[in-house]
Amino acid sequence: MCQFFGLFAAFLFRYYLHPSKTSHVIRHMVVTLLGLHFAFFCFGRYAVHFLGEVLLLYCVMVSVHVKSVHKYSFLIAMAYLTICQIIRVYFFDSEERSADFSGPLMVITQKVTKLAFELHDGLARDEKELNPSQKRLAVRRIPSLLEYLSYSLNFMGILAGPLSSFNDYITFIEGRNFEVGTNHLANGKKSSKHPLNEPSALGAVGCKMLICTVCVIMHLSLLEEFPISYNTDDTFTTTGSIPVRLLYLYVSLLACRPKYYFAWTIADAVNNAAGFGFAGYDSCGKPRWDLFSNLNIIKVEFATSMKMFIDNWNIQTALWLKEVCYERCPFCPTLLTFLLSAVWHGVYPGYYFTFIAGMLMTLAARAVRNNLRHYFLVSPTRKVFYDVVTWATTQVVVSYTVAPFVLPFVGPSLKFYRTWYFSFHIIPVVLILVLPKKASCTSRELQVTKQTETMHHCNGQQNGRASVNGNQNHRMKID
């Protein structure tokens, strides 16, 4: 209800509170107050945790030195989130009389930690140490309390995200998000530039609402017909053949995905309706409204690798994990990134089963790809065969990996694994241990190039030394 009302409010916000008509302060206040209203309407007194975490982390941000602000913010935010999840799951015992408030709290945790790392990059690190993405996202000043509240609690993203950068958000509030071809930072300066012909978001919003409608129909029709719990039914696991069980596993997990598609797509539509999410123009001159879209349904359903699936599912969370963990870990980045993802999602044991299996699948898939893929690129026929096989394998592997996430407790998860004799755990471990470690195709090309340059350089040096030795011998003969 709030998301549909938010969609209507977003259109009104863009039209009546346009940056050319009102001040930035008014825009910040309106989106914050409406966001808090949505939060208390949906979650009741539990919405106090949203405001409490934001205010706590703002105090941390303004009181801790910028060299350490990212560490303290990350630890405190994750601790706050984890404590709330433990209390909700193990102390409330499903007696809470509201929707699950941990979802919005997870998004808020992403926002406050992301901002802390970007503030650290902008104020405490040398420009030469930053990669291009970090340079673009770096925040060069301490946000005001109103900006911080607005960024964390605005009505467009408080219920289901998506995660966005602070720079992009401030650019939107100040009305500079339609200035194509410039890189804007949150510098606090007012902008008087308002394009005369701002692109309309009606087409993008309409398309996304159509996707939402299809997802709702699929969710309501498929989920009851293909319950995930049937994968552990004793009769089915003993009488069903392996192909039938694999097919049912795939279809039952496929039936679980439309609700996520709906939530992320309508959240994206609400932001687009407010004028947020513009990403420039495509090659045909049409406006793109996918600045922080959270998924690519086509690439998810037709993924030919575990990496391709992960990169297009909950995209902004994957980028957040990469920004705050993977790029900054001095050791075992893949392991620690999957561990952080599990802790962030919650305290159900099934989450940890899922991400441990996901780590094994990712490493095994990487090893297989690096060792075998180049054999199938010699002809289009082999490439098509490789894509079909890897698509089927990826869908089965993803379904097996994600099943404990939907069956979150220890008993059902282990029962599911036992029905498959842990085979999908054993196979990846064997592949990781048996297949030789090889660099990816790009890495191999770079290595070949470097080796070639080195050989040329060494040959040149040897020729030079030979010429010098020849001249010396010649002079000795003359003497």
Side-chain angles (χ1 to χ4, degrees):
M1 289 293 295
C2 278
Q3 287 291 62
F4 280 112
F5 181 77
L7 185 66
F8 176 70
F11 281 114
L12 297 180
F13 175 78
R14 183 178 182 184
Y15 182 78
Y16 289 104
L17 295 179
H18 192 275
S20 62
K21 300 178 182 179
T22 188
S23 67
H24 308 156
V25 174
I26 297 298
R27 284 168 62 86
H28 279 303
M29 292 179 63
V30 169
V31 297
T32 304
L33 292 176
L34 194 55
L36 288 172
H37 176 70
F38 283 4
F40 281 96
F41 177 80
C42 288
F43 305 100
R45 66 179 185 273
Y46 301 108
V48 172
H49 290 291
F50 307 159
L51 187 60
E53 181 179 11
V54 171
L55 292 176
L56 174 63
L57 269 296
Y58 186 79
C59 292
V60 173
M61 185 183 66
V62 297
S63 59
V64 176
H65 195 277
V66 289
K67 290 185 177 181
S68 305
V69 67
H70 59 306
K71 298 178 182 178
Y72 284 95
S73 297
F74 179 80
L75 292 175
I76 293 174
M78 289 301 299
Y80 192 100
L81 173 65
T82 303
I83 291 171
C84 287
Q85 289 173 331
I86 291 174
I87 293 174
R88 186 186 68 84
V89 173
Y90 296 106
F91 289 88
F92 286 168
D93 194 22
S94 302
E95 293 181 357
E96 56 176 309
R97 302 190 179 186
S98 74
D100 178 6
F101 70 92
S102 65
L105 199 62
M106 291 161 66
V107 178
I108 291 173
T109 299
Q110 285 182 320
K111 288 185 176 182
V112 295
T113 53
K114 178 180 174 67
L115 176 54
F117 276 89
E118 292 169 356
L119 195 65
H120 170 73
D121 291 340
L123 298 180
R125 296 180 65 189
D126 192 337
E127 190 80 10
K128 297 178 181 179
E129 299 176 358
L130 307 178
N131 61 38
S133 175
Q134 291 171 343
K135 289 180 181 178
R136 187 185 73 83
L137 298 174
V139 178
R140 310 292 180 179
R141 64 176 179 86
I142 302 292
S144 68
L145 178 59
L146 180 60
E147 290 174 329
Y148 197 82
L149 291 171
S150 174
Y151 170 65
S152 304
L153 303 173
N154 65 80
F155 77 93
M156 296 96 69
I158 192 169
L159 298 180
L163 176 65
S164 62
S165 73
F166 181 77
N167 282 335
D168 289 334
Y169 181 75
I170 293 299
T171 299
F172 153 71
I173 289 293
E174 296 180 354
R176 296 182 282 112
N177 55 317
F178 297 112
E179 298 175 14
V180 181
T182 55
N183 182 25
H184 300 294
L185 297 176
N187 54 14
K189 296 180 180 179
K190 294 184 178 181
S191 173
S192 59
K193 296 182 180 180
H194 302 288
L196 297 178
N197 297 314
E198 290 185 1
S200 172
L202 284 176
V205 173
C207 180
K208 291 173 182 179
M209 293 308 298
L210 179 62
I211 293 173
C212 288
T213 304
V214 174
C215 290
V216 168
I217 295 173
M218 291 183 63
H219 174 69
L220 296 177
S221 59
L222 292 178
L223 196 61
E224 292 186 359
E225 294 294 327
F226 302 98
I228 184 69
S229 58
Y230 192 63
N231 285 284
T232 59
D233 182 78
D234 294 332
T235 303
F236 178 65
T237 55
T238 54
T239 61
S241 63
I242 291 180
V244 170
R245 290 177 59 200
L246 288 175
L247 180 61
Y248 186 86
L249 176 63
Y250 166 67
V251 175
S252 61
L253 268 298
L254 176 65
C256 293
R257 291 201 280 267
K259 67 177 181 180
Y260 296 99
Y261 294 163
F262 170 82
W264 290 331
T265 304
I266 194 173
D268 202 12
V270 171
N271 280 271
N272 294 164
F276 192 24
F278 177 68
Y281 297 89
D282 60 17
S283 58
C284 299
K286 296 181 180 179
R288 293 171 47 211
W289 290 91
D290 58 352
L291 180 62
F292 41 71
S293 294
N294 234 345
L295 78 160
N296 187 319
I297 297 177
I298 300 299
K299 290 185 178 181
V300 166
E301 297 300 339
F302 294 95
T304 57
S305 69
M306 194 73 174
K307 182 181 184 302
M308 184 177 178
F309 187 96
I310 294 173
D311 287 346
N312 292 282
W313 171 270
N314 204 354
I315 297 172
Q316 300 308 316
T317 294
L319 293 176
W320 172 72
L321 291 168
K322 179 182 177 182
E323 180 181 358
V324 304
C325 183
Y326 189 84
E327 291 182 338
R328 303 175 194 263
C329 280
F331 58 91
C332 300
T334 302
L335 172 62
L336 294 177
T337 300
F338 274 101
L339 178 61
L340 172 59
S341 183
V343 173
W344 175 77
H345 275 89
V347 293
Y348 285 110
Y351 296 171
Y352 294 84
F353 290 150
T354 288
F355 290 106
I356 290 172
M359 180 192 66
L360 293 176
M361 303 299 181
T362 301
L363 295 175
R366 186 183 301 168
V368 171
R369 179 183 177 87
N370 292 340
N371 280 275
L372 301 180
R373 185 173 184 268
H374 57 279
Y375 292 115
F376 294 90
L377 301 180
V378 294
S379 69
T381 305
R382 289 189 182 183
K383 178 65 166 59
V384 171
F385 173 77
Y386 176 84
D387 289 340
V388 172
V389 171
T390 52
W391 171 80
T393 304
T394 298
Q395 297 306 318
V396 170
V397 165
V398 167
S399 300
Y400 177 87
T401 301
V402 175
F405 193 94
V406 188
L407 303 168
F409 294 101
V410 175
S413 297
L414 292 180
K415 184 178 180 181
F416 171 77
Y417 283 153
R418 284 194 295 268
T419 62
W420 291 101
Y421 303 102
F422 290 86
S423 56
F424 288 93
H425 284 78
I426 298 171
I427 293 173
V429 172
V430 171
L431 290 174
I432 293 171
L433 296 176
V434 171
L435 292 177
K437 292 183 179 180
K438 292 186 178 181
S440 62
C441 295
T442 305
S443 300
R444 285 198 297 268
E445 291 172 359
L446 291 173
Q447 289 176 357
V448 169
T449 302
K450 290 181 179 180
Q451 289 174 358
T452 304
E453 292 177 351
T454 303
M455 290 175 62
H456 286 311
H457 180 67
C458 291
N459 290 337
Q461 289 182 334
Q462 290 175 355
N463 293 336
R465 284 196 296 269
S467 176
V468 171
N469 291 336
N471 292 335
Q472 291 177 346
N473 293 335
H474 180 66
R475 284 196 296 270
M476 289 174 64
K477 288 180 182 179
I478 292 177
D479 294 340

